[in-house]
Amino acid sequence: MEIWINPACSKCRSALTLLDAEGADYTVRRYLEDVPSEDEIRQVLVRLGLEPWDITRTQEPVAKELGVKEWARDESSRDRWVKALAEHPKLIQRPIITAEDGTAVVGRTDEAVQDALSRKS
């Protein structure tokens, strides 16, 4: 299990507290420092069952600068979104937890973190 976090994020800190309370075995990835590649982002999107626009923080200043809210949300635009996430990791929704069964969740609530913990291989 791996969790992508921004240490300044309260939702990330809450997720870590819950994982620790449950005695979970996990690896922390500070994704703003250890930036995921485009391929890693594509892999996590498959695990999440989501599209890149689903995990984009559209209220971030860089999102507004790029104008992502106006970008098309279709198959032909997917690479543009993934590239933006790789080049501007602050745009990635957090925390993302990869579960043991090969899936992943965006752990913004205690319920989502519990869901990730329950996904055993």
Side-chain angles (χ1 to χ4, degrees):
M1 180 179 285
E2 182 176 76
I3 180 169
W4 292 7
I5 69 155
N6 172 351
C9 167
S10 63
K11 301 280 187 193
C12 294
R13 292 192 305 272
S14 294
L16 291 173
T17 299
L18 185 53
L19 291 173
D20 289 341
E22 294 290 332
D25 182 21
Y26 64 91
T27 304
V28 171
R29 179 171 186 170
R30 294 178 179 220
Y31 71 92
L32 296 179
E33 299 161 19
D34 182 7
V35 179
S37 68
E38 290 182 33
D39 283 342
E40 287 175 305
I41 292 168
R42 284 186 189 91
Q43 289 167 12
V44 91
L45 285 166
V46 168
R47 292 178 78 163
L48 287 164
L50 297 174
E51 293 293 341
W53 46 85
D54 296 325
I55 66 162
T56 300
R57 298 172 56 85
T58 59
Q59 297 304 314
E60 288 290 325
V62 70
K64 291 178 179 175
E65 286 172 31
L66 294 171
V68 298
K69 280 192 171 184
E70 279 71 56
W71 292 4
R73 296 178 181 214
D74 58 27
E75 185 61 34
S76 65
S77 302
R78 222 168 173 265
D79 286 344
R80 181 183 191 191
W81 285 85
V82 170
K83 183 175 172 61
L85 292 171
E87 290 178 355
H88 307 281
K90 274 195 167 184
L91 294 177
I92 300 172
Q93 190 59 265
R94 60 193 183 243
I96 292 177
I97 304 169
T98 56
E100 288 180 30
D101 70 351
T103 62
V105 299
V106 178
R108 295 194 55 77
T109 64
D110 287 352
E111 293 78 17
V113 176
Q114 291 286 359
D115 184 30
L117 285 166
S118 71
R119 297 180 184 197
K120 302 288 183 197
S121 49

